[in-house]
Amino acid sequence: QVHLVESGGGSVQAGGSLRLSCAASGRTDSIHRMAWFRQAPGKDREFVAAIRWRGDTTVYADSVKGRFTIGKDNDENRLTLQMTSLKPEDTAVYYCGADLDLGGRGYYSALTYKYWGQGTQVTVSS
């Protein structure tokens, strides 16, 4: 019902910046929340940031607060993640997810988001 495609990943030096994008198609009018998660090798998928699709409320993981900014463009059906002051520990595959039912698990749980993209690799070197 909702198709998501991430882009914008790459390899950067520590302290650098990247902007990730997630293009949404399909039943985008049914989206309630969208979020960015990331997964490093050998680790579980972890929450990065989330935003209400029809509002401006945003939430961030403590590890990225002040460095990352989540944004959206409803007309273009696009979710963004502006990442600055990147650290080696930010290295991961970054995924966008979409929540269509405004369930009770909250912003921080991966189970909240039914639809996912294939991810985009971010590598930060020292």
Side-chain angles (χ1 to χ4, degrees):
Q1 291 185 327
V2 175
H3 305 283
L4 306 173
V5 180
E6 302 94 340
S7 63
S11 181
V12 299
Q13 295 284 322
S17 300
L18 283 174
R19 181 185 291 270
L20 306 183
S21 294
C22 175
S25 61
R27 296 184 59 191
T28 56
D29 288 343
S30 297
I31 296 173
H32 290 103
R33 291 175 289 193
M34 294 194 73
W36 289 99
F37 282 71
R38 64 188 183 186
Q39 188 166 23
K43 295 186 176 181
D44 293 331
R45 189 167 298 190
E46 66 172 329
F47 174 81
V48 176
I51 190 168
R52 292 182 182 176
W53 192 238
R54 299 299 178 185
D56 295 321
T57 299
T58 58
V59 293
Y60 295 90
D62 289 341
S63 59
V64 306
K65 194 172 299 180
R67 299 188 298 120
F68 292 8
T69 302
I70 190 171
K72 62 182 176 68
D73 188 324
N74 294 101
D75 292 332
E76 297 185 2
N77 295 317
R78 185 176 72 239
L79 180 76
T80 62
L81 185 69
Q82 178 64 51
M83 306 185 295
T84 62
S85 301
L86 283 162
K87 305 174 181 179
E89 50 263 45
D90 295 319
T91 296
V93 177
Y94 283 70
Y95 299 90
C96 63
D99 164 37
L100 272 64
D101 63 5
L102 201 62
R105 292 186 179 273
Y107 291 103
Y108 305 99
S109 173
L111 297 176
T112 294
Y113 307 94
K114 183 176 181 179
Y115 299 97
W116 297 91
Q118 292 298 306
T120 185
Q121 177 71 49
V122 172
T123 302
V124 185
S125 59
S126 301

